[in-house]
Amino acid sequence: KVFAADIETGFIAHMLERARREKTPEVFPLLVPPDDPRVVLPVDVVFICDTFHHIDDRLTYLAKVAKILAPGGAVGVVDFKMGDIPVGPPPEHRIAPGLVISEMAEAGFHVVGIDTDEIWTAVGRDLPQVKSKVAAIKAAIASVAAQGKAKK
């Protein structure tokens, strides 16, 4: 199962339509508040895309994420590049990869990879198990990146 959580009803409708169109019944869009992932089942991967900079109290949020991760679970964070690029929030609202890493470490996660071209960080509680999940997170990131390029 894939729980696709978002805080915007418009994105929930988009995800429902996309899951229907792509015949992916394992995708379950969830409308959630901005401060709680609201998933109660243990999950293998939490993928946070283009929203980490919106979370006000990231350490509390990450503590909630840690509670829903299955043993060996992984977290992937993708957010907009620093600097002046034509997409995303204004540069002053972007988040530096170093800050993502330090906040994840403060929350008890271990960074196992970062790609500053995509601002990609994969972290988890059980480092050897996390490394086995990195390929899945990279594939998800590549899919998101490809979709973004296709919209240009």
Side-chain angles (χ1 to χ4, degrees):
K1 292 181 182 181
V2 175
F3 298 104
D6 205 294
I7 65 169
E8 301 280 338
T9 56
F11 284 116
I12 297 296
H14 169 75
M15 288 186 284
L16 282 167
E17 170 55 28
R18 183 171 174 187
R20 184 199 59 75
R21 183 178 66 246
E22 295 180 9
K23 297 180 176 75
T24 52
E26 67 277 6
V27 175
F28 296 93
L30 299 172
L31 185 63
V32 299
D35 62 346
D36 191 343
R38 285 259 174 101
V39 176
V40 295
L41 300 172
V43 297
D44 294 322
V45 176
V46 172
F47 179 57
I48 302 170
C49 185
D50 296 339
T51 57
F52 199 68
H53 65 277
H54 286 292
I55 301 170
D56 291 328
D57 185 355
R58 289 187 290 271
L59 293 179
T60 299
Y61 188 85
L62 290 170
K64 292 175 182 178
V65 165
K67 288 180 182 178
I68 64 171
L69 279 179
V75 177
V77 175
V78 172
D79 219 311
F80 292 99
K81 293 180 184 181
M82 297 298 294
D84 189 19
I85 58 174
V87 295
E92 62 273 12
H93 291 178
R94 296 171 193 217
I95 187 166
L99 182 57
V100 174
I101 292 168
S102 68
E103 289 179 348
M104 296 298 255
E106 188 174 344
F109 294 98
H110 304 281
V111 175
V112 296
I114 180 166
D115 179 343
T116 56
D117 287 339
E118 295 292 337
I119 306 181
W120 171 65
T121 308
V123 299
R125 295 181 298 196
D126 183 343
L127 200 54
Q129 292 299 317
V130 170
K131 288 182 180 180
S132 71
K133 300 194 184 333
V134 169
I137 294 171
K138 279 187 173 180
I141 291 167
S143 173
V144 169
Q147 291 169 17
K149 289 177 184 172
K151 291 180 183 178
K152 289 181 184 178

